[in-house]
Amino acid sequence: MVLRFSLSWRVQHFLLMISVTLLIITGFALRYHDTWFGRFLIFIEGGFEARGTLHRISAVLLFVTAVYHLIYILFTKEGRREFKELIFRKKDFSDLMASVRYDVGKDEKPPVYGRYSYKEKIQYWAFFVFVVLMILSGIVLWFHNYFFGILPKWFFDLSQALHSSTATLVITFLVFWHLYLVHLSPGNFPINTSFWHGYVSEEWLKENHYLEYLEVKNREEER
């Protein structure tokens, strides 16, 4: 077994998972409060006021997680190294084209990836944009009484639409992209538990991130 994700990385992922899940559930209850499912969600959340409190607590947790991640990538050696690995490079675009050619049967073998493939980088940066949009629009909506004195009404309408639309995109992205690639795809089904304990098998690493596998083997040989 190979340790792929440190404790700090796993804690950040766990906090993000909890905060986003709670935000989706409580936000869904508000948006569809006039449906039976929305009323059911509000009921199990303890009522409308409790739903709002839980939504705001989850929003604070998301903000804290974002600050934690920012400190991690700016002020820790591991964080800076991880962030550099998540930056798009020319190889990612060639890997994308090679992956398409493999999927349609033009190439016999799929491309080989380093620590993060273009798919994982897309997930990271998409979530980065989602979180920024959700936090900024959420702050405007949360403190609307204050901002009403300095911002035009159309800005609040835009924030409301942006907040709701971004949440819908997050749900779609989680279900149809992240959950499938990480947990439901062949080789990971029914769940990839590395998000919890950080370890992957050497065989899995060799198959999914061959270039990283070579780096791990080289480090072992140098020891």
Side-chain angles (χ1 to χ4, degrees):
M1 300 297 289
V2 179
L3 179 63
R4 191 156 192 264
F5 300 112
S6 68
L7 177 61
S8 179
W9 195 240
R10 302 195 308 270
V11 168
Q12 292 174 66
H13 179 271
F14 182 76
L15 293 176
L16 180 65
M17 179 178 66
I18 294 299
S19 60
V20 169
T21 300
L22 290 176
L23 284 169
I24 288 174
I25 294 174
T26 53
F28 196 91
L30 175 63
R31 182 171 183 179
Y32 299 101
H33 65 277
D34 55 344
T35 67
W36 70 268
F37 187 60
R39 289 192 292 270
F40 172 72
L41 288 178
I42 292 174
F43 172 75
I44 63 174
E45 291 164 8
F48 199 80
E49 290 186 4
R51 183 221 63 84
T53 301
L54 182 59
H55 193 76
R56 289 173 173 82
I57 292 174
S58 305
V60 171
L61 179 59
L62 178 63
F63 180 77
V64 170
T65 304
V67 173
Y68 178 9
H69 182 66
L70 186 61
I71 293 173
Y72 172 75
I73 63 177
L74 288 177
F75 300 107
T76 69
K77 183 178 179 180
E78 176 188 284
R80 290 192 295 269
R81 183 177 67 248
E82 290 285 342
F83 185 74
K84 289 178 181 178
E85 292 289 341
L86 286 161
I87 295 174
F88 283 104
R89 295 178 172 83
K90 184 178 179 180
K91 182 181 183 303
D92 295 307
F93 298 96
S94 59
D95 285 346
L96 171 60
M97 300 308 297
S99 181
V100 172
R101 290 195 301 270
Y102 173 75
D103 289 339
V104 298
K106 293 293 184 180
D107 290 348
E108 294 183 0
K109 295 181 179 180
V112 293
Y113 305 117
R115 179 160 177 78
Y116 297 110
S117 70
Y118 70 90
K119 300 174 185 178
E120 291 158 323
K121 292 181 181 182
I122 290 174
Q123 292 178 65
Y124 175 83
W125 288 106
F127 254 94
F128 176 86
V129 174
F130 289 158
V131 169
V132 170
L133 290 177
M134 292 297 285
I135 289 177
L136 293 179
S137 58
I139 289 174
V140 172
L141 296 174
W142 189 350
F143 300 102
H144 61 277
N145 289 333
Y146 171 77
F147 288 112
F148 260 134
I150 57 178
L151 295 173
K153 183 181 179 302
W154 64 264
F155 195 87
F156 295 92
D157 295 335
L158 175 63
S159 297
Q160 178 67 51
L162 189 63
H163 202 73
S164 179
S165 300
T166 303
T168 302
L169 286 174
V170 169
I171 296 172
T172 305
F173 184 82
L174 280 174
V175 173
F176 294 104
W177 181 277
H178 184 72
L179 286 180
Y180 172 76
L181 287 179
V182 177
H183 299 297
L184 304 180
S185 58
N188 293 314
F189 183 86
I191 187 172
N192 184 332
T193 56
S194 62
F195 79 96
W196 183 255
H197 51 61
Y199 286 90
V200 297
S201 68
E202 197 171 283
E203 180 183 356
W204 182 93
L205 189 64
K206 183 177 182 179
E207 181 178 348
N208 293 276
H209 298 272
Y210 183 68
L211 298 180
E212 183 183 8
Y213 166 79
L214 293 178
E215 292 179 3
V216 170
K217 299 301 290 184
N218 289 335
R219 286 198 298 268
E220 291 179 349
E221 291 176 359
E222 290 175 358
R223 293 173 186 172

